[in-house]
Amino acid sequence: MKDEYNDFLSLSKKEKLDEDYQIRSSNRNSDFLIMAPHGGSIEGGTSEIALSIAGDDFSFYLFEGIKRRNNKILHITSARFDEPQAIDMAKNCESILTIHGESSDEKVVYIGGLNSKFKKKISDSLIEAEFTVGVNENPALDGKSRSNICNYGRSRAGVQLELANGLRQSFFTSLSPTGRKTVTPEFNRFVGAIRRALQ
């Protein structure tokens, strides 16, 4: 599906901050920045997952859809995600981990990006925690473009996680805003595996 908006400037001309979308962030001067550029109700569950991975020690950035309906219109593809605060935070950290939602019903997480060392660490940790890990063959979802926001850190190499819809469904009561307030043991197991890999 083609994005409605090619960049943040075109989105901001039609959509209202704190009415259609919101930005939440915290700069903790950590080596890693945890991002959900399609958070809130754009790709349900990605904000909650990113926040929990960040915990109290990693910097985080969330761009969240908060419209009553049709939040997917707020999706700006990662290779063109240029919201100014996101770019500023990205350029001032060593490496970035982005959390995305993928549409299939599988219970799988696809690992992409250019940081081979941390891709392996995260993959190993997830497999040890009994999650299914894959590599997406779709070049639009492999996180390897130099212009992908996950590769904007000082190292110019980050990690992109695409969590299939089936996996995200297993983390919450449901993917509705209310359902996402209640997490499952599987959610905590997933977050724990990622945090162990980053530390």
Side-chain angles (χ1 to χ4, degrees):
M1 188 177 80
K2 186 179 183 298
D3 286 340
E4 180 77 13
Y5 302 113
N6 283 329
D7 53 27
F8 178 72
L9 181 61
S10 58
L11 181 148
S12 65
K13 287 178 178 176
K14 291 192 175 180
E15 311 289 346
K16 292 183 179 173
L17 179 64
D18 296 328
E19 187 175 311
D20 299 313
Y21 70 93
Q22 66 184 13
I23 295 168
R24 289 192 286 161
S25 67
S26 179
N27 185 357
R28 294 159 176 165
N29 296 312
S30 57
D31 283 343
F32 280 97
L33 168 62
I34 316 299
M35 300 184 84
H38 308 137
S41 292
I42 304 172
E43 293 174 349
T46 59
S47 283
E48 291 80 2
I49 295 162
L51 266 181
S52 289
I53 292 171
D56 295 325
D57 44 356
F58 294 117
S59 300
F60 70 85
Y61 170 95
L62 315 173
F63 182 90
E64 302 180 297
I66 55 172
K67 297 160 82 78
R68 289 194 173 196
R69 61 183 69 84
N70 198 25
N71 281 275
K72 298 212 182 311
I73 201 174
L74 301 170
H75 182 282
I76 300 171
T77 192
S78 298
R80 291 197 303 270
F81 191 85
D82 60 352
E83 192 280 314
Q85 187 179 334
I87 297 296
D88 185 58
M89 289 186 74
K91 287 183 174 177
N92 284 289
C93 70
E94 186 62 26
S95 196
I96 298 160
L97 172 66
T98 57
I99 308 297
H100 297 268
E102 192 263 356
S103 60
S104 70
D105 292 326
E106 306 297 317
K107 288 178 69 174
V108 61
V109 54
Y110 296 104
I111 299 188
L114 291 172
N115 193 324
S116 299
K117 174 186 171 186
F118 275 100
K119 278 200 297 186
K120 184 175 188 320
K121 283 191 76 172
I122 289 170
S123 179
D124 289 349
S125 188
L126 285 171
I127 290 168
E128 188 177 337
E130 300 184 342
F131 287 99
T132 301
V133 175
V135 176
N136 204 308
E137 300 301 323
N138 182 346
L141 299 177
D142 67 6
K144 291 184 176 176
S145 166
R146 288 283 176 190
S147 59
N148 187 306
I149 189 70
C150 81
N151 298 317
Y152 261 54
R154 287 191 298 267
S155 68
R156 301 297 291 161
V159 176
Q160 173 174 292
L161 298 185
E162 291 274 356
L163 281 69
N165 189 62
L167 182 62
R168 285 178 289 126
Q169 289 273 8
S170 74
F171 288 167
F172 308 95
T173 304
S174 77
L175 290 179
S176 71
T178 302
R180 297 197 306 265
K181 291 178 181 175
T182 306
V183 302
T184 65
E186 204 156 359
F187 173 96
N188 293 321
R189 189 158 51 90
F190 183 87
V191 168
I194 301 293
R195 283 184 57 81
R196 283 193 296 277
L198 296 181
Q199 291 167 336

